[in-house]
Amino acid sequence: MPTRVHPARPGDPARIGPYRIIGRLGSGGMGTVHAALDSEGLRVAIKLIHPAQADDDEFRARFKREVEVSQRVSGPYLVPLLAADTNAATPWLATEYIPGPTLGQHITANGPLSGARLYALAAGTAAALAAVHAAGVVHRDVKPANVILASSGPRVLDFGIAHALDGTSVTRTGVMTGTTGWISPESYRTGTAGPAGDIFAWGALIAYAATGRLPFGSGAPDAVAFRVISGTPDTAGMPDDLLALVTSALAKAPADRPSAAMLAEKCTALLAIQTTQALQPEADIATTVGNLVTAQWDMPALDDPAWQAPAGRRKGRTIAVVIGAAALSGALVGGLLFQADSHPGTKSSTGSPTFLHSPTAGATNRAQSAARSHSPAGTSKDDPGEASLTAWKESRPARTPAENDAFGAMGTGAWLDPVAYPDFNRVITFHRRRGEVYVATSGQELSPVAVQEVASTVCLGLQDLVKSYPDFPYNEYIVVDTAHEEGPSIVWEDDFRTNTACSTSIQNRSTPTAGQDSDWQPTKSGLEQAQIPSTDKDEIRVAGQTVNSIISEWQGNSRIIDDPNWLDHDNMSVGFARDEAVMYIWADKPEWDEATRDRWAALAADTACQAVLTEAQARKEWRYAQYAVIVVDDAGSSTFLRWGSAGSCAA
C-alpha cells in the first residue's frame, strides 16, 4: 500500500526553507522525507539530509552537483525539482509530491500490466528517458521502485540525486552504480554507466511490468549478475510487438540497443494502435505521447486527510497525491526546475507588426478584442483586461501538480509538421492572478494555419486537464509567437472553457447571407462522402437523434403523410464527411418553394449546430465541429443553404 503522512516526531523542524512541515513520509539511511506545504498549498516532499552526511564535504560537493544536473531535465513523465539548499547547515531538496504507488507495489498487489496501460507505461517511461538523455544526463537507476503510477500517467523518479546520497554518483574503482537485476552487462564488466545502460534497464522494467516476473530472476547478487551478462531474459507471455522492442533494448552489446527517443516513438505508435482498437477500428487518433497516455491511463487518484491546506487558502479540490514508501525511503525525485527568466529573447523592432490573432467561433468578447494588433515586445500599452506581452513576461513556470501536468495534457510530441517546422518548440507559463496560461512558441514564425493548429492543441489539452483537476484556476490561454519577424507577438487568445468545441475557424458574424460561415464552404465531394453509410456507432447515434429531432420539430403533431411538407427517414438524411470533419444534413424535397426551404434550413441548421456542439462538449475524440444543410432539387443537384461551426450556436 502507498505510504500515508505520519505524524511529525519530536525534534522535527516546523519549517524547511519556505515550506511548512505537516508530517513525515518516510526515512532512510541518508535522510528523512517530510510532507510539507508551500504558501499556496502545493504538496511537497522534502528530503532532509542526516547530520552525519551533512558534515561530509565530499558528500556536499556531489549532492550540489547532482542537484544542478537535475535542473537541466524537463519532461511530463519526470518529477520537477522545486527547490534545494545545498549550502544549508542540513542540506535539503523539495520535489512535487506525486500520486500513486510504485510500479513494484502495484504489481505486487495487482499483478502485471496489460493492454493499453502496459503500452502507455512503455511510451511514457521511454519518453522520460529520452528527455533525460537529451539533457546530457544518465539516470543510472531505472527500476520499479523509481517509477510511480500517478493518476495522470507514469512518472520516472530519481535521475541522479539518489546516487549523490548513497555515494555512488561518481564512478570509482570498486563502486557499482544501480540496483542488482537492473544493471547492464557493461556496467557489471567495466563500471560503465551511460545512456545505453538506461535502455537496458528500461527493457528489463517493461518485461517485469508485462509478466510480473524479474527478467533475470532473483537470488545472490553474483548469480543475478551472471544471468544478466550471459543469460536470456524471461520475457514469456509478452505481446509480440512490444517484445521486439524489449528484446532490442536488452541486447548484450550497448551499440545494439536503440535510443530512448526511438523507443518512445515506436512505443507511441504501438499505443496509438491500442487506443484505436479500444475506441473504434476506424478512429483517427493523434499520435502524441501525452494525448495517448491520457486517453488510456486509468490509475485512480488517492488522497490522505492528513494533508491540510494553509489558513486562508481558497476552497477547492484537494490534489490527490500519494507516493510509495520504497521510493521515499530509498530514492529522491528530480526534474526540471524551469528558470524564472526562461522566456525566449525578444527581437528589436521599430515597426508595428501584423498579427495573426483571430477570435474563435465560441470566443468571448475578451478574445475578440484581443484580435487587435499589439505593439512589439516592451512597447505595448496594455489594457489591464487583455492579455499582453507584459503579462506574459510576468508569468511564471509551473508549480502546482495541475500546472506541471499541463505540458503532458497538451501532448509532448510534434504539434506541427516537423518538415515545415523542424525547430518548433514551446514553453508553458502561468499568470495565476490573471487566470492566464501562456504558450510561447519558438523556431519558425507561425503561419495563420499553424497558429490555429497550436491554438486547437492547447485548448483541447487544457479541456482534458480540467477533467482531472476541475479546480484548475485558469480560463484563458494565450499563444505568443517569439519567432515573429518584428518581435514576440500575441497571435491567439481564447477561453478554453467557453470555446467548448475548441473551434479555431475564423468567423465573420456580419456575413450578408444569414446562416453562412464565410471562412469555409461545404463541398460536393464532402456531401458525396457523407452519403456513404457510416459504421461508427457515435456517428450513427448522432445522425439518428438529429433526424428525429428535425422531423419532430418540423412535423409538429401533423400525421398527414401526403402533405407536401411531410418529412420522414425516406426523404431526409444525415451523414459525415470525415476528411472535412463536416456533418451534412440533406432533404430530398425538390417540390419545396424558396420560403419553405429557408424555413426548414433554419430549423435544420439550429439542430445540427447543437448536435455537433453537444458531442464536442461530451467527448474530446468527436471530430466534427462543422455542419451544412442541403436541399436536393429536381435534377438531383444539391443547393447548400446554410453552414456553420459549433461555436456559433448557443450552448
Side-chain angles (χ1 to χ4, degrees):
M1 293 295 292
T3 295
R4 297 286 183 174
V5 177
H6 302 289
R9 297 181 183 178
D12 282 354
R15 300 189 69 86
I16 298 177
Y19 304 105
R20 179 169 66 87
I21 304 302
I22 66 168
R24 283 190 172 205
L25 298 171
S27 61
M30 296 299 158
T32 300
V33 182
H34 296 276
L37 297 167
D38 72 2
S39 59
E40 296 182 0
L42 173 67
R43 298 175 180 185
V44 175
I46 299 181
K47 183 77 172 192
L48 186 66
I49 306 307
H50 287 325
Q53 280 70 44
D55 292 336
D56 184 344
D57 291 339
E58 182 182 356
F59 168 81
R60 278 183 176 270
R62 291 198 306 271
F63 180 56
K64 182 176 182 179
R65 182 166 58 253
E66 300 286 359
V67 167
E68 291 171 349
V69 166
S70 72
Q71 293 176 345
R72 302 206 309 258
V73 184
S74 65
Y77 300 109
L78 300 168
V79 182
L81 176 67
L82 302 177
D85 189 347
T86 58
N87 297 318
T90 305
W92 59 270
L93 60 84
T95 65
E96 179 185 338
Y97 186 63
I98 298 298
T102 67
L103 175 62
Q105 289 172 332
H106 180 82
I107 289 180
T108 298
N110 303 288
L113 305 184
S114 62
R117 185 189 284 182
L118 174 62
Y119 288 84
L121 173 77
T125 51
L129 290 178
V132 171
H133 295 168
V137 179
V138 180
H139 190 293
R140 295 180 294 187
D141 201 15
V142 176
K143 59 185 179 182
N146 279 339
V147 175
I148 293 291
L149 305 187
S151 60
S152 57
R155 297 290 189 98
V156 176
L157 311 178
D158 180 26
F159 49 93
I161 298 176
H163 303 302
L165 294 176
D166 64 18
T168 62
S169 63
V170 179
T171 301
R172 294 176 294 177
T173 303
V175 175
M176 177 66 66
T177 63
T179 302
T180 300
W182 310 97
I183 299 173
S184 66
E186 66 270 21
S187 292
Y188 277 121
R189 290 191 183 100
T190 65
T192 302
D198 286 350
I199 299 303
F200 185 92
W202 177 89
L205 181 87
I206 302 307
Y208 171 71
T211 66
R213 303 184 301 272
L214 296 172
F216 297 100
S218 58
D222 56 344
V224 174
F226 178 81
R227 290 192 290 268
V228 168
I229 294 172
S230 58
T232 301
D234 178 6
T235 56
M238 288 193 65
D240 290 342
D241 50 5
L242 194 56
L243 174 60
L245 296 181
V246 167
T247 300
S248 65
L250 292 175
K252 302 300 184 185
D256 294 338
R257 299 171 201 151
S259 67
M262 181 181 296
L263 287 172
E265 178 181 354
K266 291 186 176 181
C267 287
T268 300
L270 294 179
L271 178 56
I273 295 172
Q274 290 287 317
T275 305
T276 301
Q277 293 172 344
L279 295 176
Q280 54 202 37
E282 302 297 326
D284 183 12
I285 303 297
T287 55
T288 61
V289 180
N291 289 346
L292 293 172
V293 171
T294 299
Q296 291 300 313
W297 196 257
D298 57 352
M299 293 297 297
L302 303 174
D303 206 355
D304 183 349
W307 289 99
Q308 297 295 330
R313 187 189 179 200
R314 64 178 180 85
K315 294 182 179 179
R317 177 180 181 270
T318 301
I319 305 301
V321 283
V322 178
I323 195 166
L328 287 168
S329 61
L332 289 176
V333 293
L336 171 69
L337 176 61
F338 284 105
Q339 301 302 314
D341 57 351
S342 62
H343 291 296
T346 61
K347 300 177 182 179
S348 61
S349 173
T350 57
S352 180
T354 300
F355 289 88
L356 306 176
H357 186 304
S358 302
T360 67
T364 60
N365 290 335
R366 180 177 175 188
Q368 293 168 355
S369 67
R372 300 189 300 269
S373 295
H374 294 262
S375 300
T379 66
S380 62
K381 296 181 179 179
D382 303 316
D383 182 333
E386 293 183 13
S388 66
L389 295 174
T390 299
W392 166 57
K393 292 177 181 179
E394 294 172 349
S395 63
R396 58 163 175 76
R399 290 180 182 171
T400 68
E403 291 170 358
N404 281 306
D405 284 346
F407 189 96
M410 295 177 196
T412 57
W415 285 10
L416 300 174
D417 181 358
V419 176
Y421 293 89
D423 300 321
F424 175 79
N425 203 352
R426 62 275 189 194
V427 173
I428 303 172
T429 53
F430 303 84
H431 201 300
R432 176 65 184 85
R433 178 176 56 82
R434 296 172 61 90
E436 295 170 342
V437 179
Y438 285 84
V439 179
T441 66
S442 59
Q444 294 80 34
E445 181 175 351
L446 302 180
S447 70
V449 173
V451 170
Q452 290 177 276
E453 290 184 30
V454 170
S456 177
T457 299
V458 175
C459 181
L460 290 170
L462 291 173
Q463 287 186 353
D464 193 60
L465 183 71
V466 298
K467 295 176 183 177
S468 299
Y469 299 94
D471 285 341
F472 187 61
Y474 300 93
N475 298 313
E476 300 282 335
Y477 67 95
I478 296 93
V479 179
V480 180
D481 185 357
T482 68
H484 195 277
E485 183 179 358
E486 299 185 56
S489 305
I490 291 178
V491 294
W492 196 275
E493 180 188 0
D494 200 359
D495 187 320
F496 70 88
R497 296 182 188 271
T498 59
N499 183 11
T500 53
C502 285
S503 172
T504 56
S505 62
I506 305 170
Q507 301 294 323
N508 182 349
R509 298 312 182 90
S510 59
T511 51
T513 305
Q516 295 182 1
D517 186 336
S518 65
D519 188 50
W520 70 279
Q521 291 187 351
T523 65
K524 181 179 179 181
S525 61
L527 177 59
E528 291 173 349
Q529 186 180 51
Q531 291 172 337
I532 300 173
S534 174
T535 59
D536 180 89
K537 63 180 185 344
D538 288 326
E539 292 177 5
I540 294 171
R541 172 180 54 78
V542 172
Q545 291 173 346
T546 303
V547 169
N548 289 337
S549 179
I550 293 173
I551 290 176
S552 176
E553 289 290 327
W554 181 254
Q555 303 291 127
N557 295 321
S558 174
R559 294 293 182 269
I560 305 175
I561 298 178
D562 57 358
D563 184 333
N565 291 338
W566 180 263
L567 276 178
D568 58 25
H569 290 272
D570 291 330
N571 53 28
M572 202 189 90
S573 301
V574 172
F576 298 86
R578 293 183 63 83
D579 293 343
E580 296 180 355
V582 177
M583 182 173 81
Y584 284 84
I585 303 94
W586 63 94
D588 188 1
K589 298 293 290 186
E591 65 272 24
W592 279 351
D593 58 25
E594 184 175 352
T596 304
R597 291 185 178 196
D598 287 344
R599 186 162 57 88
W600 174 81
L603 169 62
D606 287 344
T607 305
C609 192
Q610 289 292 340
V612 293
L613 175 61
T614 298
E615 290 303 308
Q617 291 174 324
R619 54 187 56 82
K620 180 179 177 180
E621 62 269 19
W622 178 255
R623 63 183 291 118
Y624 302 98
Q626 297 173 318
Y627 62 89
V629 176
I630 307 102
V631 170
V632 180
D633 61 21
D634 285 316
S637 299
S638 302
T639 301
F640 297 109
L641 299 178
R642 295 190 178 228
W643 56 91
S645 300
S648 63
C649 59

